[in-house]
Amino acid sequence: MNPKLSTAAMQQATRRTIVKGSQHWPHKSPALSRVMDNQSHLKLSPEHDQPMGTWSTEQIRNATSQSVMMTWAPGKAKHNTPLITHGEGVYLYDDQGKQYLDWTSQAVCSNVGYTLPESVLQATLQQMTQLPFLYGGLGLCETRARLSQLIAEILPGDLQGMVFPSSGSEANEAAIMMARRYTGKYKVINWYRSYHGGTANSQQATGDFRRWYGGDHVPGFVKAFHPNPLFWDLAGATPEERTQMALNMLEEQILNEGPDTVAMVQFESVIGGGGVIVPPPGYMQGVRAICDKYNIVMHCDEVMVGFGRTGKLFGFQHNEGVIPDIVTAAKGITAAALPLSMTACRKHIMEYFEDNPLGWGSTYQAHPVAMACAYENVKYLIQNDIIGHVQRLAPILEDNTRRLAEHHPCIKQYRCIGLFGCFDVANPDGSNPQLQHTAIDKAFVEYKKAYTANGLIGLMRPPHLHVAPPLVITEDELLDGFERQDKALYVLDDALGY
């Protein structure tokens, strides 16, 4: 028997069977019939007939225990996580009626708190009613044009090419692809202690322990030391000499990697989760000069600090004269009300992609509802001088971080910029009580209990303690937050043995 003929005959018979059976297929395929019959008679449990907001605490906890998974924390953490029912202003409230002052804007993203501007609500509802979705490659809409023009107007220089992914990770994925395709090179240099996302390339771009979760096997990423390293310093050198030495080290890395292989230098303008680490004066200008010298794209990751957190619209604007080739941002673009991010590039890069596909995309890139939310949110930030408000409160935040550092021996040092502050905690012998990749130390467990008991809620990344309240916080609320943290820090002092 000829196997080829046999195969063809079998395929033809199969086609005849499918066509013939398609007229009365439930009777021809009992197994499929049972599956479809079950699907057509699916029933919701009676609990789902209850309106949203009416489930009891027990119902919510049971469903959470059965089906909810955590992400950066072990799953069992969900059993001790507060059940939040609503928010108002800069406060969140749990199912027991307890009030929490949001001390870190959750993940440094809920920048306008929980009473959203009416203009944001109305624009989002209008867009959802008018055009709830449009795939970005099939059509254009007014919302996309408006948001693109608005962001181009508020960015300095010729940063005018706009892509709108859904998350910071995606924005950085787009930036990496953009740089690689534009330059024809593939290596990306990042700082240690940085964070760029949780997807394949953005995770490997990350400079802390979270890149280990993916196996640390994605090629093309090179790590550089931040000019403010964690464990060592150039003793006796002036600040200017330390900055120059850090730039010399970066340039040497590029030379040893091969400038013709390095597509991009990708840095957080201010390292966020790693401890609010600000580059020293002159450093970013030096990076810009090195990138120009070797035809390398300079990318500033503004996912955490963009849209006002540092007292400038974007963090890189604290470095006079520096215009990155690519800027990414997320979180603050919608104040976390809806998932959206941005990847902006300079004109010469945008023009390259007029004739070449970017090579990155997603179903929800340029989602019209999220863009409508972002458009009104960014307008609100500018029209209500939220950045000026941050600048006015920044000295108060710094005064109080200094006060707490002076009063609590567990605080080794602090750093602040705008409404973004961080304490570094140390043991009595000066050592770190915990590194970020290690299990939470029992002292921080006690601190977290006191933090919660005193009505604070926020991101906890020991040995760094962040302070990043919503940008709309009042002076009285800010002072109240520091009084609450002051009480919790006494517990940490005791727990560490001071």
Side-chain angles (χ1 to χ4, degrees):
M1 180 181 295
N2 187 326
K4 292 184 179 179
L5 290 177
S6 175
T7 300
M10 289 174 64
Q11 291 173 340
Q12 187 175 8
T14 300
R15 286 195 295 270
R16 284 199 303 267
T17 301
I18 293 172
V19 171
K20 182 178 179 181
S22 63
Q23 299 174 10
H24 305 286
W25 70 267
H27 302 291
K28 300 294 183 180
S29 177
L32 283 176
S33 176
R34 285 195 299 274
V35 171
M36 293 303 295
D37 187 59
N38 289 340
Q39 293 291 309
S40 64
H41 290 85
L42 281 173
K43 291 184 179 180
L44 303 178
S45 62
E47 290 176 308
H48 296 297
D49 291 330
Q50 297 176 236
M52 187 67 71
T54 62
W55 271 19
S56 67
T57 295
E58 183 181 8
Q59 285 175 296
I60 296 172
R61 290 292 185 187
N62 285 342
T64 298
S65 180
Q66 291 296 316
S67 304
V68 171
M69 295 180 67
M70 305 298 277
T71 52
W72 292 120
K76 63 183 180 182
K78 64 191 174 189
H79 302 299
N80 297 314
T81 301
L83 176 53
I84 302 301
T85 58
H86 64 287
E88 182 178 353
V90 297
Y91 299 100
L92 291 167
Y93 298 84
D94 69 14
D95 59 319
Q96 304 303 312
K98 183 176 178 63
Q99 180 199 76
Y100 302 88
L101 174 55
D102 185 354
W103 203 226
T104 66
S105 304
Q106 297 198 47
V108 195
C109 56
S110 297
N111 287 356
V112 300
Y114 304 98
T115 305
L116 294 180
E118 187 65 24
S119 58
V120 173
L121 297 174
Q122 290 302 319
T124 303
L125 178 60
Q126 179 182 344
Q127 187 64 53
M128 190 170 286
T129 303
Q130 180 178 321
L131 183 65
F133 178 70
L134 177 66
Y135 180 64
L138 291 182
L140 299 171
C141 61
E142 182 179 353
T143 309
R144 186 175 180 181
R146 279 178 174 264
L147 183 59
S148 296
Q149 179 177 315
L150 175 61
I151 301 299
E153 287 177 357
I154 64 177
L155 279 166
D158 60 348
L159 284 157
Q160 64 187 69
M162 301 293 154
V163 178
F164 295 105
S166 299
S167 68
S169 295
E170 286 183 297
N172 288 331
E173 291 280 351
I176 292 166
M177 182 63 78
M178 189 179 287
R180 284 174 167 171
R181 286 186 50 78
Y182 173 73
T183 64
K185 300 185 283 185
Y186 68 96
K187 289 181 183 175
V188 178
I189 295 180
N190 314 90
W191 278 327
Y192 283 116
R193 297 157 71 198
S194 64
Y195 177 70
H196 296 288
T199 51
N201 284 317
S202 66
Q203 189 174 42
Q204 291 305 299
T206 290
D208 68 20
F209 68 97
R210 285 170 286 192
R211 80 177 185 280
W212 307 343
Y213 293 153
D216 206 7
H217 296 318
V218 179
F221 293 92
V222 179
K223 294 295 174 288
F225 281 102
H226 191 276
N228 297 305
L230 182 62
F231 291 116
W232 55 273
D233 198 357
L234 297 169
T238 66
E240 293 77 12
E241 289 170 338
R242 287 196 292 270
T243 296
Q244 189 57 53
M245 182 62 71
L247 290 169
N248 292 344
M249 290 169 65
L250 176 63
E251 185 167 11
E252 184 171 335
Q253 276 192 291
I254 290 170
L255 290 171
N256 283 292
E257 290 294 334
D260 291 341
T261 69
V262 180
M264 178 163 70
V265 170
Q266 180 185 48
F267 292 155
E268 287 181 89
S269 302
V270 176
I271 287 183
V276 189
I277 308 172
V278 182
Y283 182 80
M284 295 300 274
Q285 288 88 344
V287 172
R288 175 71 275 180
I290 290 172
C291 288
D292 290 340
K293 181 177 180 179
Y294 295 107
N295 192 29
I296 294 169
V297 169
M298 181 181 182
H299 168 215
C300 285
D301 178 345
E302 298 268 345
V303 167
M304 189 169 280
V305 300
F307 296 99
R309 172 59 58 185
T310 67
K312 297 280 189 180
L313 192 59
F314 295 97
F316 72 82
Q317 292 178 304
H318 290 277
N319 306 281
E320 186 177 355
V322 173
I323 305 294
D325 298 303
I326 300 175
V327 176
T328 53
K331 297 179 185 282
I333 194 170
T334 64
L338 284 176
L340 193 75
S341 59
M342 70 170 217
T343 305
C345 67
R346 293 179 63 188
K347 184 178 180 180
H348 60 278
I349 297 178
M350 179 183 179
E351 288 175 343
Y352 173 82
F353 290 107
E354 288 292 296
D355 296 314
N356 299 278
L358 175 58
W360 179 90
S362 75
T363 301
Y364 298 122
Q365 192 278 135
H367 195 292
V369 177
M371 289 191 300
C373 175
Y375 181 65
E376 290 299 332
N377 177 68
V378 174
K379 284 171 57 182
Y380 176 84
L381 294 177
I382 295 168
Q383 293 169 347
N384 291 274
D385 192 25
I386 299 302
I387 295 170
H389 180 69
V390 172
Q391 292 171 352
R392 289 186 288 274
L393 288 184
I396 298 170
L397 184 138
E398 182 161 8
D399 286 346
N400 281 272
T401 49
R402 181 174 61 251
R403 175 175 64 86
L404 266 58
E406 291 172 349
H407 290 176
H408 293 280
C410 71
I411 303 300
K412 176 183 178 182
Q413 60 190 16
Y414 72 92
R415 291 170 299 281
C416 293
I417 183 168
L419 284 183
F420 204 17
C422 184
F423 299 104
D424 290 342
V425 178
N427 285 316
D429 63 3
S431 64
N432 274 321
Q434 178 185 327
L435 294 176
Q436 289 186 343
H437 66 277
T438 58
I440 188 167
D441 185 88
K442 60 182 180 180
F444 289 109
V445 173
E446 295 305 310
Y447 171 72
K448 188 172 183 180
K449 290 178 183 177
Y451 187 88
T452 302
N454 282 284
L456 291 177
I457 192 169
L459 192 69
M460 196 74 66
R461 300 202 75 226
H464 306 306
L465 307 179
H466 288 79
V467 179
L471 306 185
V472 294
I473 195 169
T474 66
E475 181 177 342
D476 287 344
E477 290 167 339
L478 185 62
L479 294 173
D480 176 44
F482 277 110
E483 290 306 311
R484 299 182 190 211
Q485 187 167 30
D486 187 27
K487 295 174 184 177
L489 284 172
Y490 283 111
V491 173
L492 184 56
D493 288 335
D494 292 341
L496 288 171
Y498 284 98

